[in-house]
Amino acid sequence: MAPVTSLLLSLAVVVSSVSSQSSTVVCTQTGCNQDNCYRNLVQSTAFCASFTAPPQSGTTPSTVSLNPIQSSCGVTSLSSACSCLYPSGATVIATRASITQCTTLPLAPSPTVLNVNFESGGQTINVGRIYNVDNTSTISDPSLAHSQPNLFRVAFTPETPGSFDSRNVNLFATGLMRPFTDYTFTFWAKADAPTDPSDSDIDYINLIIQGLKKGPVPPNLVLTESPSTFSNALLSPAVDTTWRRYQGTFNSGEWPYFYIQFYFNNGGYSYSGVVPSLYIDDVSLVQT
């Protein structure tokens, strides 16, 4: 039963007034894995005191006072549980592990934490995993952009006419939020018209928001899952030649960072061999 690492988000104010914060504190702490060995040693102060003491030369720690569950734990798990429950020099049970390291993190300064319109000098999005993509780039075309003049283009690799394949791109953005706050993620998308009306097009849009913890969230909540928990949703309608707005809403939970992926897939036949390009514009993450 080895100690486990978790994170503690320490809030300086109550949840209802968190928007007035300029920073928050995230602390790394060591906790105890409360398995059967741990639970059966909670009232075993005397045993743990003798068990964790250095044995006299030529002897081994006594196990006479162990019950069947404790006996099945083994020496390593017993030692780990005792050390976690009754640290060296302690006279009472440790109700929570000591905080070992704290870091002050800045929080998003305004309700709009992401605003990407692909104009020069602004924020941007990142390109992650791609498959059968020829290139990705910011282009300038006032007649094509949702907000002029720039937009983001994903050009797919030319194929042999009649090919059946999957083509996809994973875009992502990161940054700072405010904890326990509702946000709306928005982007606009369109695509070129298929060269052959039977060609496949973008048929799958997935939005993944990582670093969340759902449910009622009191102050000083211990993080046990972030940033591995996430919100996962399919978006609609399908991408076509008209600019369409896609949105997803979520609560930031206790984690002050966001990591958002939006994933596009074109799967099926390309009878013409020309896969329609995908266009993205006006990406934002705004407090709601």
Side-chain angles (χ1 to χ4, degrees), residues 227-284:
S228 61
T229 53
F230 61 89
S231 170
N232 191 338
L234 298 180
L235 302 182
S236 61
V239 174
D240 58 19
T241 57
T242 302
W243 279 112
R244 297 188 183 277
R245 182 178 66 180
Y246 298 87
Q247 289 186 315
T249 59
F250 63 97
N251 187 280
S252 57
E254 72 275 26
W255 195 246
Y257 290 111
F258 67 84
Y259 181 82
I260 295 176
Q261 302 177 62
F262 44 124
Y263 168 89
F264 301 84
N265 183 73
N266 177 326
Y269 284 102
S270 177
Y271 294 100
S272 67
V274 179
V275 182
S277 292
L278 168 68
Y279 302 98
I280 307 292
D281 208 349
D282 296 326
V283 182
S284 66

Side-chain angles (χ1 to χ4, degrees), residues 118 137 139 141 144-146 151-156 171 187-193 202 239-244 246 262 264 275-282:
F118 302 101
S137 61
I139 64 172
D141 188 338
L144 187 60
H146 180 258
L151 69 161
F152 186 80
R153 180 179 63 191
V154 179
F156 296 93
L171 307 176
F187 63 90
W188 291 77
K190 65 174 292 184
D192 287 336
I202 299 293
V239 174
D240 58 19
T241 57
T242 302
W243 279 112
R244 297 188 183 277
Y246 298 87
F262 44 124
F264 301 84
V275 182
S277 292
L278 168 68
Y279 302 98
I280 307 292
D281 208 349
D282 296 326

Side-chain angles (χ1 to χ4, degrees), residues 89-104:
T91 57
V92 296
I93 186 170
T95 56
R96 67 186 304 171
S98 300
I99 292 174
T100 57
Q101 184 178 5
C102 294
T103 303
T104 300

